Amino acid sequence: MKKLSAKHNAFVIPFLIIVFSAFLFSFSVPSSKKKVKKVKIEIKNGGLKINKNEFISPWSHNRFIHAIGKEDRVDPGVNDICTYDKLGIILYKSPSSDEVSDFNIYMGNDPSEDYSFIPKGRFRGLLIIDGLKFSSNTSLEEVKKKLPDYNFTKSVIGAWRGEYNNLYVYIQYDETDKNIYWFSFGIKD
């Protein structure tokens, strides 16, 4: 049997370590640890689908984790507020159960809101509500025209509120009603 030189060993051992490490890390990351770069939220006829994951009522925190990964931080309170900084999303979760009552997506910076739970980043994914693709500059006029069944009206909090089937949506615009700051989605009681 031929002996390997010290120079050869200096190459082979690190190479084997790299190959072995790559093998170990090649297994899929558990869904609670996965990092999602793009999010597709689709609402159709009152139903919710996120990244091909369909949600049933009541919405489950574990289902959100499966669809978009684990939140970056949680602010506990009457509702635990689960913040996804890079995705521009927050969830309102019951501290005593797995139930998510509603969730927000942030497309812009609302100057009237300065809360610690607001995501650091903004939503850059795809939001489609009954065929209407939203961007941060989808006007209220277009929303009312293309989603008449939601019957959007100005709410007491200043956002525009619409309902369809078992779902409600709030849209917070700037003063021109042409630039969207955030959306809030929830299931009607």
Side-chain angles (χ1 to χ4, degrees):
M1 192 151 101
K2 191 174 180 184
K3 275 187 146 182
L4 298 176
S5 69
K7 186 177 182 182
H8 189 258
N9 280 341
F11 171 76
V12 171
I13 292 172
F15 176 76
L16 290 174
I17 290 171
I18 290 170
V19 169
F20 183 70
S21 297
F23 173 75
L24 288 177
F25 290 111
S26 68
F27 295 102
S28 65
V29 177
S31 64
S32 65
K33 301 283 185 194
K34 73 180 175 183
K35 294 294 178 189
V36 174
K37 293 181 180 155
K38 282 285 190 176
V39 176
K40 179 181 179 184
I41 299 173
E42 188 169 8
I43 297 190
K44 190 173 185 180
N45 296 322
L48 172 64
K49 188 189 298 186
I50 301 177
N51 291 346
K52 299 180 182 176
N53 294 276
E54 294 198 31
F55 287 70
I56 57 170
S57 178
W59 295 336
S60 157
H61 181 235
N62 283 328
R63 191 75 177 151
F64 276 93
I65 290 172
H66 183 76
I68 59 176
K70 187 138 177 70
E71 62 273 351
D72 296 307
R73 55 195 165 97
V74 177
D75 288 326
V78 174
N79 284 303
D80 287 346
I81 301 175
C82 305
T83 302
Y84 293 82
D85 284 314
K86 291 182 179 98
L87 300 179
I89 297 173
I90 65 171
L91 312 176
Y92 292 92
K93 179 194 162 307
S94 168
S96 61
S97 76
D98 186 51
E99 188 174 333
V100 171
S101 61
D102 52 334
F103 71 96
N104 293 8
I105 64 172
Y106 289 83
M107 290 189 159
N109 296 321
D110 186 344
S112 69
E113 292 190 344
D114 186 28
Y115 305 110
S116 63
F117 57 79
I118 302 278
K120 294 174 182 153
R122 295 295 164 253
F123 183 78
R124 300 289 179 240
L126 181 60
L127 172 64
I128 304 170
I129 301 176
D130 288 306
L132 177 58
K133 291 181 182 178
F134 279 83
S135 71
S136 61
N137 59 359
T138 302
S139 71
L140 177 62
E141 181 181 343
E142 183 179 2
V143 170
K144 286 181 167 184
K145 180 180 176 185
K146 294 191 175 170
L147 300 174
D149 293 338
Y150 281 80
N151 192 27
F152 281 94
T153 57
K154 192 79 161 191
S155 70
V156 293
I157 64 169
W160 290 88
R161 186 180 202 279
E163 295 181 2
Y164 188 64
N165 288 339
N166 66 334
L167 183 88
Y168 68 80
V169 58
Y170 285 91
I171 307 174
Q172 180 65 48
Y173 280 93
D174 68 0
E175 63 281 347
T176 68
D177 289 335
K178 293 182 179 167
N179 297 300
I180 298 171
Y181 292 138
W182 52 260
F183 291 82
S184 182
F185 300 94
I187 300 170
K188 292 189 316 186
D189 293 331

